[in-house]
Amino acid sequence: MVVGTEEGFALGACTLWLLTALADQLRSRSHSAHADDGGLQAAGRAEFRRVAWQYLPVYALGTLGDWMQGGHLYALYQSYSYSISHIGHIFAIGYTSAALLGTYAAAFGDRYGYRLCVIVYGLVYSLECLSMNWDSTAVLLAGRVCGGVAYSLLFVSFESWLVAEGQARQLPGESMGQLFAMATTVNALSAVAGGTLPP
């Protein structure tokens, strides 16, 4: 699909903004750590950067996929000639599965590890995306159930992995706060980028 001039500029601006914001956050954190005697030592700063580069790009892709899909689902269901009422029911199935299965997603991560949960998120999310290729109510509903599971995993697994990894690498609470702030920025920029990308 060809991206128009407006979409290209918006996507380019979002990408530039994201890179600038991430570089600025890393630079400002580094400068504040140098200025503060109680700040991170060189090894701690290296661990912080390593965890940030392991986490943020994967989290950005996960949230970008979720934001890209969200804006186009209604149009997809409408193209399959579903009524507004039926589309509402399809969405309700997805949100209900997220609500019911969310606690189990967290327990799954506690038991088997959050890295595995992130992988399962990718697989379940892929199943949801594949289901969209069929004009079948049963397949679309199964896809929305997968979407609910993926949604639960997205907002449990990634952050829980970050906390566990930060503890394993003995990152101070201040560093974890910085990583979560950066993740919030990444999520917001993913939403903007997801909204500007064509279906």
Side-chain angles (χ1 to χ4, degrees):
M1 179 173 284
V2 177
V3 176
T5 305
E6 287 181 14
E7 291 90 359
F9 282 128
L11 185 57
C14 287
T15 303
L16 182 60
W17 185 34
L18 173 65
L19 294 175
T20 303
L22 287 175
D24 185 53
Q25 287 226 357
L26 285 173
R27 187 188 61 205
S28 69
R29 303 303 182 217
S30 177
H31 287 304
S32 67
H34 284 299
D36 183 13
D37 287 339
L40 300 173
Q41 300 299 322
R45 287 190 304 274
E47 285 298 316
F48 173 81
R49 283 192 296 273
R50 192 172 298 119
V51 171
W53 283 109
Q54 277 184 312
Y55 175 71
L56 293 173
V58 176
Y59 182 69
L61 290 174
T63 56
L64 177 65
D66 185 57
W67 285 113
M68 282 176 59
Q69 172 191 277
H72 303 291
L73 275 178
Y74 182 84
L76 173 76
Y77 297 147
Q78 197 172 36
S79 74
Y80 289 150
S81 300
Y82 286 101
S83 68
I84 293 173
S85 173
H86 283 111
I87 293 171
H89 289 109
I90 293 171
F91 274 101
I93 292 292
Y95 295 128
T96 301
S97 69
L100 294 175
L101 300 173
T103 55
Y104 295 109
F108 182 84
D110 289 339
R111 183 169 185 160
Y112 298 106
Y114 291 103
R115 186 179 300 254
L116 178 61
C117 277
V118 170
I119 294 168
V120 170
Y121 162 77
L123 295 173
V124 173
Y125 189 76
S126 297
L127 289 174
E128 179 191 16
C129 292
L130 285 173
S131 75
M132 295 176 200
N133 292 302
W134 285 275
D135 182 7
S136 163
T137 303
V139 173
L140 290 173
L141 288 175
R144 285 307 297 151
V145 170
C146 288
V149 172
Y151 189 78
S152 295
L153 289 170
L154 174 63
F155 290 104
V156 168
S157 304
F158 287 83
E159 292 174 356
S160 297
W161 177 88
L162 179 59
V163 169
E165 194 69 16
Q167 289 173 347
R169 295 180 188 230
Q170 299 178 343
L171 291 178
E174 175 186 302
S175 296
M176 296 304 295
Q178 292 170 3
L179 284 169
F180 280 116
M182 293 168 75
T184 300
T185 302
V186 165
N187 187 18
L189 293 173
S190 293
V192 172
T196 59
L197 293 173

